[in-house]
Amino acid sequence: MEFSAAPLIYVLIFVGVLVLVEGIYLTMFGKSISLNSRINRRLDLLDKGNSREEVLEQLRKEMSQHVKSQGIPLYAILADRAQKAAIAFSPRQLLLIMVLLSAVSFGLLTLLTGASAPVRAAVAVVMGVGGVYVWVNGKAKKRLAMIEEQLPDAVELMVRSLRVGHPFSSAVGIVAREVADPLGSEFGVIADEAAYGKDMGEALKTMAERIGLQDLRFLAVAVSIQQTSGGNLAEILEGLSKVIRARFKLFRRVKAITAEAKWSGMFLSVFPIGALVMINVLQPNYYDEVRDTPIFIPAAIAVCGFLIANVLFMRMMVNIKV
């Protein structure tokens, strides 16, 4: 039996692209950029001797630079996800990394495969751009999930601080010091902006819109209403914390209930593609007898269309809104 290693080579090169992006990121910005760091990035930068104003300026630039660069060609496809992931790479650096990874992929494809130059170039570009997008999207999902998990504890910490007599600005500062990233640096930016004169409610609203989480919008609205109409902020935030925890509990419950359906949909979507890859690995000449027939190309296009429709419909069926 004849085997073809080309599909496996493509997969390994793509995985290598993802690992290379992560390696470049950690090399340029250090381990403090990782969401698993025990100390948040803002405190790490302050410990290195940077002034409070310099740290605030750097973090604000990192958090807003991607949305401001949506006009760059081809960059709009990942600007929103890079914004939510707070990627420290600048837009130009990300574009340069795409070009670098495409060049590396093209070189590896040239060494390890016998595909024609146009095919290698097309696949290399897809790997370079797609690898960066997959990496950024993964960072965004992980960061948003961690913010959702940290927020109830952060709100409860503010409630306890308010009840012992601290003003709200000090309560936000305590959260910035005690909570790890990603929420720690976000609240640290708010604390620094408030120290330089920005309205606390406006700063919270800006953060909520930048991150795009509904629970953060609830927090910003609660603080804004209390600032304009008064009231016991500690009681308001305590009620908000209970609501956020209840929503989070409901989301987790729905996720558990729909897990089987989601994995079934993922399997049914991936299986045809996996079967096609395995056929080409185990029997590279499987389609030789029909490849030159007039109906082969239209049939292949039709099958591709059905596969895409299958993926879209399965995604719609298991994407339950709460």
Side-chain angles (χ1 to χ4, degrees):
M1 181 180 294
E2 184 180 357
F3 291 90
S4 174
L8 296 179
I9 291 174
Y10 292 146
V11 173
L12 291 176
I13 291 175
F14 187 73
V15 173
V17 165
L18 296 178
V19 174
L20 184 58
V21 177
E22 182 70 17
I24 294 173
Y25 197 56
L26 294 178
T27 300
M28 290 186 63
F29 299 102
K31 293 184 178 180
S32 65
I33 200 71
S34 173
L35 295 179
N36 297 322
S37 177
R38 293 183 179 180
I39 183 172
N40 65 54
R41 179 162 170 76
R42 172 176 169 271
L43 295 181
D44 183 72
L45 292 173
L46 289 173
D47 287 341
K48 291 179 179 179
N50 297 318
S51 67
R52 189 176 183 183
E53 185 176 357
E54 291 174 343
V55 172
L56 174 60
E57 184 64 26
Q58 180 175 346
L59 292 178
R60 289 178 67 181
K61 180 181 178 181
E62 292 177 1
M63 292 174 179
S64 62
Q65 60 185 343
H66 299 287
V67 169
K68 295 179 180 178
S69 303
Q70 287 184 340
I72 299 177
L74 300 178
Y75 190 74
I77 60 176
L78 57 80
D80 180 67
R81 303 306 293 172
Q83 171 79 11
K84 288 180 171 56
I87 299 297
F89 282 138
S90 68
R92 296 184 184 278
Q93 287 174 333
L94 276 178
L95 290 174
L96 287 175
I97 289 174
M98 288 181 188
V99 174
L100 173 63
L101 294 178
S102 298
V104 171
S105 300
F106 183 80
L108 292 175
L109 290 171
T110 302
L111 292 174
L112 301 176
T113 67
S116 61
V119 172
R120 294 199 306 271
V123 173
V125 171
V126 170
M127 285 186 175
V129 177
V132 172
Y133 180 83
V134 170
W135 177 77
V136 170
N137 189 53
K139 289 282 186 183
K141 287 183 177 181
K142 182 178 179 181
R143 187 170 186 269
L144 294 178
M146 292 187 69
I147 289 176
E148 287 181 329
E149 189 171 349
Q150 289 178 311
L151 186 58
D153 293 332
V155 175
E156 288 183 355
L157 182 57
M158 286 190 286
V159 171
R160 292 195 294 269
S161 299
L162 292 171
R163 283 181 172 169
V164 298
H166 292 295
F168 183 65
S169 58
S170 297
V172 172
I174 292 172
V175 172
R177 292 193 300 272
E178 300 297 330
V179 177
D181 269 344
L183 201 58
S185 291
E186 291 284 353
F187 273 88
V189 170
I190 292 175
D192 290 341
E193 288 179 338
Y196 286 110
K198 187 173 183 178
D199 179 71
M200 186 70 71
E202 187 65 26
L204 283 169
K205 182 180 178 181
T206 301
M207 179 186 70
E209 294 301 323
R210 184 179 68 248
I211 297 176
L213 290 179
Q214 190 64 36
D215 292 336
L216 286 174
R217 294 191 181 99
F218 290 158
L219 175 61
V221 170
V223 173
S224 297
I225 291 175
Q226 192 276 336
Q227 287 179 336
T228 56
S229 61
N232 190 329
L233 184 57
E235 291 184 1
I236 295 173
L237 294 182
E238 183 180 18
L240 177 62
S241 174
K242 292 179 180 179
V243 171
I244 294 174
R245 285 196 182 278
R247 279 168 50 85
F248 190 71
K249 183 178 180 180
L250 178 61
F251 291 153
R252 287 294 179 91
R253 185 175 181 181
V254 171
K255 186 177 180 180
I257 293 173
T258 60
E260 182 180 356
K262 288 185 176 181
W263 279 104
S264 298
M266 185 181 301
F267 174 79
L268 293 175
S269 299
V270 173
F271 179 76
I273 301 174
L276 179 63
V277 172
M278 290 305 298
I279 288 172
N280 281 277
V281 171
L282 298 176
Q283 191 66 33
N285 302 322
Y286 186 79
Y287 297 104
D288 286 353
E289 295 182 2
V290 297
R291 185 171 296 171
D292 296 328
T293 59
I295 200 174
F296 180 78
I297 298 298
I301 295 175
V303 170
C304 182
F306 281 124
L307 286 176
I308 294 174
N310 172 68
V311 172
L312 294 177
F313 274 101
M314 294 304 300
R315 184 178 181 85
M316 292 169 58
M317 290 174 63
V318 301
N319 187 23
I320 298 176
K321 300 291 184 180
V322 180

